[in-house]
Amino acid sequence: MDRVTLRGLRARGHHGVFERERIEGQTFVVDLTLFLDTRPAAAGDDLTRTAHYGVIAEEVTAVIAGDPVDLIETLAQRIADQCLRHEVVEEVEVVVHKPDAPITVPFDDVTITIRRGRA
């Protein structure tokens, strides 16, 4: 499988278990790796035969900005589901970063990484 990778997609979301997170929101950062066969697109120089990463980026940021969830695990799954709606995407790896997580000790980042494929 070939890979198309998007790193650092950012959007403001209202995800989290604490009321403050739901009210104030925070920035979430997402990295995606889309697994697909790019040979058909390359052979015909045809955008319709590959993953249109501009469209996928817009869809993913809409998921981040959309309906709130408690867990970043749930957010990652929703993002994976959206990516897999594109027929050419066979698998996706999603990393959700929550750099402003409500943790009481110094830290750099909190992430979840999931990898999902077609059932």
Side-chain angles (χ1 to χ4, degrees), residues 48-117:
T48 66
R49 302 193 71 191
T50 190
H52 191 312
Y53 53 80
V55 169
I56 291 172
E58 291 172 0
E59 292 171 351
V60 168
T61 56
V63 171
I64 297 168
D67 293 336
V69 296
D70 289 343
L71 304 176
I72 59 173
E73 292 85 346
T74 307
L75 180 60
Q77 184 64 54
R78 286 183 176 182
I79 292 168
D81 291 343
Q82 181 61 46
C83 292
L84 289 169
R85 286 189 179 106
H86 295 264
E87 285 185 38
V88 298
V89 178
E90 294 295 325
E91 292 183 32
V92 62
E93 182 176 274
V94 177
V95 182
V96 175
H97 300 258
K98 189 175 180 180
D100 298 321
I103 297 175
T104 60
V105 297
F107 74 102
D108 288 331
D109 198 5
V110 173
T111 67
I112 177 139
T113 303
I114 67 170
R115 188 166 174 168
R116 300 290 186 265

Side-chain angles (χ1 to χ4, degrees), residues 5-75:
T5 303
L6 292 90
R7 290 198 179 101
L9 295 172
R10 297 181 195 312
R12 191 156 186 84
H14 293 266
H15 312 290
V17 296
F18 297 113
E19 183 178 358
R20 184 190 61 167
E21 293 178 291
R22 293 294 185 106
I23 293 170
E24 296 175 13
Q26 59 193 293
T27 299
F28 291 84
V29 181
V30 172
D31 303 323
L32 297 174
T33 302
L34 309 168
F35 296 87
L36 62 148
D37 183 359
T38 62
R39 288 176 293 190
D45 199 26
D46 185 353
L47 177 61
T48 66
R49 302 193 71 191
T50 190
H52 191 312
Y53 53 80
V55 169
I56 291 172
E58 291 172 0
E59 292 171 351
V60 168
T61 56
V63 171
I64 297 168
D67 293 336
V69 296
D70 289 343
L71 304 176
I72 59 173
E73 292 85 346
T74 307
L75 180 60

